[in-house]
Amino acid sequence: MTVPNYRKTMTASIPTLMYLDDRPVTQYDRLLAEAFVKDGREGERLAREKYNAEKRQKEIEWNEKNEERAEIMKKRRQLELERYANDDLKEKERILDKKKELLEKKPNDYENSLKNLDHELERIEQELAQKQEIIDRMLSEAIMSKYTCVSRTMNENGEYEYVNVNKEEYEKYMKEQKKKAKSNQVDNSVKGLVWTPEFDELMEKILNIDDQNFEQVSSELTKALYQKQVIKANEMVTPEQIKARWAEVHEKPKTTESTSATTNTTVINELDELE
């Protein structure tokens, strides 16, 4: 028996439904399904138009806020530049006036004078650029990042769409933040940990259970050693330490086997020669 409009009917009938068959049930899906069940295709059409209109309005409002914010930042940038580099700006203005005067009057040897003024102007421009860089850094650290409050929705395909930022820019920003956070992490690995047979046995047991998931083993082993009061609360046995120990423990038998195999081969060869 085929249920008419099966997906829409099921979505509207089960408020807690998050996934149906091979697709997620999004908020957008639920909105349209409920409208369809209530008022048919006309209700679904009106709900879709309303949703799209509200989405466009949000984007317009956000763009207006961004433009307003950019204008405020531009004015503040100029004010800060005037505050920190007022003498350089005045000197730049004086040189430009002097150049204009020389070009109008063209006195003797004015070309050399122009070259000297150009050198001075270049020096001042470099100083202004350095101060501008400092000001930009100060302002970027002082204000809230546009990525601090990000609004996102899920489209019909179950993919996230960011309302107030560009998706590629945001994902790039988040990767950079993760890298920065990783580089700033405090090293709280256990220093001078002495591996005992008991610890090795515990490591082997957890690794067999978790199929060499070193991240999980790190958590479990740290918990176990803390309960045994071997390590402090702010210390942990890192995945890197466990990997190193695992390799160390399991390389020894291989070395022994290799030595044994070599010895056996040598003995067999000697016996062959005697025969």
Side-chain angles (χ1 to χ4, degrees):
M1 178 181 176
T2 304
V3 179
N5 302 297
Y6 160 74
R7 185 173 180 84
K8 292 174 185 176
T9 304
M10 293 296 291
T11 301
S13 302
I14 309 174
T16 57
L17 187 64
M18 301 296 290
Y19 220 91
L20 182 60
D21 296 333
D22 59 345
R23 285 167 50 199
V25 176
T26 66
Q27 292 180 349
Y28 181 73
D29 291 338
R30 185 169 300 285
L31 177 71
L32 298 187
E34 289 175 353
F36 175 82
V37 170
K38 184 179 179 183
D39 297 314
R41 297 204 176 276
E42 181 62 17
E44 182 183 7
R45 183 184 67 80
L46 292 173
R48 183 182 290 107
E49 288 178 357
K50 182 181 177 183
Y51 174 86
N52 290 333
E54 289 176 352
K55 184 178 178 181
R56 282 194 297 271
Q57 185 59 34
K58 284 181 181 178
E59 290 173 353
I60 290 168
E61 289 174 1
W62 184 259
N63 289 333
E64 288 174 352
K65 286 181 182 179
N66 273 348
E67 289 173 6
E68 184 182 345
R69 184 186 299 162
E71 189 61 30
I72 292 170
M73 286 302 301
K74 185 179 177 182
K75 290 178 181 178
R76 185 173 174 185
R77 192 171 182 257
Q78 185 60 34
L79 287 171
E80 293 293 341
L81 185 61
E82 290 173 2
R83 178 183 170 190
Y84 286 104
N86 191 43
D87 292 340
D88 291 325
L89 290 170
K90 286 181 178 179
E91 183 65 14
K92 180 181 177 181
E93 189 176 346
R94 186 192 68 78
I95 292 172
L96 291 172
D97 289 341
K98 186 68 175 175
K99 280 186 68 174
K100 184 179 179 182
E101 184 183 343
L102 283 171
L103 289 169
E104 287 175 353
K105 295 181 178 180
K106 293 185 178 180
N108 293 333
D109 201 28
Y110 80 97
E111 291 180 352
N112 286 333
S113 299
L114 278 175
K115 286 181 182 178
N116 292 333
L117 288 174
D118 283 337
H119 287 314
E120 279 295 303
L121 192 61
E122 185 179 353
R123 179 187 61 79
I124 290 171
E125 290 286 5
Q126 288 176 354
E127 290 181 2
L128 283 171
Q130 289 174 355
K131 289 179 180 179
Q132 186 66 74
E133 187 179 343
I134 293 169
I135 289 167
D136 288 342
R137 189 161 60 245
M138 288 167 56
L139 289 176
S140 66
E141 291 173 356
I143 63 170
M144 183 172 63
S145 167
K146 70 176 181 179
Y147 301 113
T148 305
C149 298
V150 175
S151 176
R152 68 181 184 180
T153 58
M154 190 175 281
N155 62 22
E156 304 93 300
N157 300 321
E159 300 170 340
Y160 282 117
E161 289 183 350
Y162 298 94
V163 176
N164 46 6
V165 293
N166 178 274
K167 182 181 178 181
E168 287 74 21
E169 285 183 9
Y170 177 69
E171 289 177 349
K172 182 181 177 183
Y173 168 81
M174 291 305 296
K175 285 181 181 177
E176 290 172 354
Q177 291 302 304
K178 286 178 181 177
K179 284 183 181 177
K180 192 182 290 185
K182 194 172 182 180
S183 64
N184 293 334
Q185 280 182 346
V186 178
D187 181 16
N188 57 354
S189 60
V190 181
K191 305 296 186 295
L193 176 64
V194 178
W195 288 90
T196 65
E198 182 184 3
F199 297 167
D200 285 341
E201 185 179 347
L202 186 59
M203 177 184 68
E204 292 271 358
K205 182 180 178 182
I206 300 171
L207 275 169
N208 287 333
I209 293 170
D210 291 286
D211 195 25
Q212 297 196 17
N213 181 345
F214 291 99
E215 296 286 341
Q216 181 65 25
V217 175
S218 168
S219 174
E220 294 291 334
L221 193 58
T222 297
K223 182 179 177 182
L225 296 184
Y226 173 67
Q227 289 173 345
K228 294 177 180 291
Q229 299 183 342
V230 175
I231 63 175
K232 298 176 183 176
N234 63 339
E235 292 180 325
M236 69 176 292
V237 185
T238 65
E240 289 72 24
Q241 287 177 305
I242 294 168
K243 285 179 186 177
R245 182 58 181 171
W246 176 265
E248 185 182 339
V249 168
H250 287 267
E251 278 174 2
K252 289 178 181 178
K254 290 179 183 177
T255 306
T256 306
E257 281 179 19
S258 176
T259 305
S260 176
T262 305
T263 305
N264 290 339
T265 305
T266 305
V267 171
I268 291 168
N269 290 337
E270 289 175 353
L271 287 170
D272 289 339
E273 287 176 5
L274 287 172
E275 290 176 0

